[in-house]
Amino acid sequence: MDRRTVLRAGAASAGLLVAGALPAGAVLRRDRPVLTHGVQTGDVTTDGALVWTRADRPSRMLVEVSHDPSFRYARRLRGPVLTPDTDGTGKLRVSGVLPGCETYYRVRAEDLDGRTTSEPLTGSFRTAPLGYSDVRFAWSGDVAGQGWGINPDIGGMPGFGAIADRKPDFFLHSGDTVYSDGPMVEKVTLPDGRVWRNIVTPEKSKVAETLAEYRGQFAYNMLDANVRRLAASVPVIAQWDDHEVINNWYPGEILDLPQYTEKRVDVLAQRAFQAFHEWQPVDKTRAVDGRVYRSFRFGRRVELFVLDMRTYKDKNTAPKDGVGQILGARQARWLVDSLARSQATWKIVAADLPIGLTVPDGDGIEGVANSLPGKPGGREHEIAWVLRTLAQRRVRNVVWLTADVHYTAAHHYSPDRAAVGDFDPFWEFVSGPLHAGAFGPNTLDPTFGPVAEFVHAPPAANTSPLLGYQHFGEVAVDGRSGELTVWLRDGRGTSLWTKTLRPGRDR
């Protein structure tokens, strides 16, 4: 793409790249590009990570990489041209870095004439280790939902800062990374008389329908200093759920909602999918089927399997006692085969929906559990096949992590309590919201024999973040012993509950 083509594209979409508000300290200047929404890394591997940024005008992304924070000995890499076609965003995979190494990067945007560059933005990430190394990461989901946005009175969205303070190796964002269906107002009066204040942008003032409005959902979150600090210092592994598009969506759905002029969910999902991949540091080349589900290895102790329980699901109105799907046949087979091939001590399944919690959608079912006692029905059939096949292939040490339901909990599943008895016991840990209304607890479905060992949920639905009940989880695996410890924490990082699991032997 030559300079004239890029400039014509920029002129044709004048104002597109600067439609949203800028973070504090970012000032538009006519004589040089500006990086408007910080930097972030994602999909980290043993030899590098994906580096992301966004510029206010057509320009080229430049990245310097060094093991020295002073950048005394740095490699300079030329990235893509940032254009309106991707909302000014761009990504560059940095490779050739040593495993388990703290790596520093510096990003600039260069004018297409090559005469001037933006002010630099810096960040860092730790590459995935090799061997029997310690691994520690955090997870959560559900951000800027139910009308609770960036509140300057409490420092924005402080949960992101609490995670950054703990310096995990990576952050697993378990879905509902944005709330595209959740408009905001500037002030909300709470039942106790206090006033919650939101920063509001035009894109957050209505439900998202156009591509520009979906892009604006991700741009909004990056206005918060806590979000940008975490993004710049900790690699993100992101998955999506429903609110990236609209609440409880499924493929083929036709909306009957007056606030939407576009009623075809497939059209909305396509726009949201594009915005998600533009604004999240997701490497599409690593994603199976060009979608969202993919896997990452962290030494000999941990392998992470990220699911997409949204794109391939059947209708929420499908018969509860029929045979449904939540993963789709191809993804389910990929999951089982990948888990069976894994040489890691612990296989962590990152699910964007819980297995045993009933999540209704009107008269239908939003999640896996169908709320009916007895043998599996609906989408439970597919999960039963996954669990049964893992047991048959003697895949041990599988742990499930999720968010979605806006409270935190620890669930133990056992065939001794289940309607089916041909799977191995396992744990599912739930943690959220990171910054949204708090709800719960949901009802546990008995099909797979779950027991709630711990629950921390609010006394009322849609509890404001001012009242607490914001959560994230943390996992640490000891490289020497192989023990896995889980902490369920509140939004300030205080431990509410912890559990240490000892590995069994894979055979």
Side-chain angles (χ1 to χ4, degrees), residues 140-477:
S140 190
D142 316 310
V143 176
Q146 290 74 48
W148 313 111
I150 301 171
N151 185 345
D153 296 338
I154 62 170
M157 295 197 282
F160 286 87
I163 295 175
D165 289 341
R166 300 198 60 78
K167 297 180 172 60
D169 295 325
F170 65 91
F171 170 54
L172 169 63
H173 205 314
S174 300
D176 290 344
T177 56
V178 296
Y179 269 72
S180 299
D181 56 342
M184 291 181 182
V185 295
E186 292 184 357
K187 294 181 180 181
V188 180
T189 302
L190 305 183
D192 61 8
R194 287 184 292 174
V195 175
W196 174 279
R197 293 198 300 134
N198 285 317
I199 292 175
V200 180
T201 63
E203 293 83 2
K204 291 299 295 184
S205 299
K206 66 176 293 292
V207 296
E209 298 179 83
T210 67
L211 176 58
E213 289 166 348
Y214 278 111
R215 288 166 165 170
Q217 310 306 305
F218 296 95
Y220 177 82
N221 288 358
M222 293 296 288
L223 297 180
D224 180 59
N226 299 291
V227 174
R228 294 198 309 277
R229 180 161 72 92
L230 177 63
S233 60
V234 177
V236 174
I237 297 177
Q239 62 189 137
W240 76 342
D241 191 29
D242 55 339
H243 290 285
E244 284 82 359
V245 182
I246 184 176
N247 185 43
N248 295 351
W249 75 275
Y250 55 84
E253 183 179 6
I254 303 298
L255 300 177
D256 184 21
L257 297 172
Q259 62 268 44
Y260 283 86
T261 57
E262 175 55 70
K263 307 294 186 181
R264 297 166 296 174
V265 167
D266 287 352
V267 173
L268 298 175
Q270 183 179 26
R271 295 167 182 169
F273 185 80
Q274 179 176 337
F276 175 85
H277 279 85
E278 289 172 345
W279 279 84
Q280 294 284 11
V282 173
D283 190 346
K284 291 181 70 174
T285 64
R286 290 187 59 85
V288 180
D289 194 26
R291 294 286 183 171
V292 175
Y293 65 96
R294 59 209 193 277
S295 64
F296 301 90
R297 184 72 180 265
F298 296 89
R300 296 291 299 272
R301 291 302 190 189
V302 175
E303 188 163 2
L304 177 70
F305 302 87
V306 181
L307 299 185
D308 180 353
M309 304 173 80
R310 187 58 50 180
T311 306
Y312 311 101
K313 68 188 296 192
D314 58 3
K315 295 182 178 181
N316 291 352
T317 55
K320 297 179 182 180
D321 56 354
V323 177
Q325 68 177 39
I326 189 74
L327 301 173
R330 183 177 179 183
Q331 183 179 191
R333 172 58 65 181
W334 166 84
L335 176 61
V336 167
D337 289 345
S338 298
L339 287 168
R341 286 193 302 265
S342 178
Q343 298 296 307
T345 303
W346 293 99
K347 294 88 173 168
I348 311 295
V349 180
D352 47 293
L353 286 167
I355 293 175
L357 290 173
T358 300
V359 184
D361 180 21
D363 295 330
I365 291 295
E366 154 68 358
V368 174
N370 65 3
S371 74
L372 300 178
K375 62 182 181 179
R379 296 168 184 152
E380 292 174 336
H381 274 288
E382 198 169 58
I383 299 302
W385 178 83
V386 169
L387 298 176
R388 180 185 309 117
T389 308
L390 292 178
Q392 291 170 351
R393 298 175 71 168
R394 297 185 176 182
V395 180
R396 307 290 188 254
N397 306 328
V398 179
V399 173
W400 295 67
L401 303 180
T402 189
D404 183 68
V405 289
H406 294 231
Y407 66 97
T408 192
H411 302 146
H412 184 258
Y413 293 78
S414 174
D416 297 336
R417 301 183 295 264
V420 292
D422 51 358
F423 68 92
D424 292 329
F426 66 96
W427 284 88
E428 174 188 60
F429 300 104
V430 185
S431 195
L434 187 53
H435 189 88
F439 291 81
N442 292 44
T443 302
L444 277 169
D445 184 292
T447 299
F448 299 111
V451 169
E453 297 288 348
F454 175 79
V455 174
H456 189 247
N462 196 17
T463 297
S464 159
L466 287 179
L467 300 180
Y469 299 101
Q470 306 295 292
H471 306 102
F472 66 90
E474 187 173 344
V475 175
V477 178

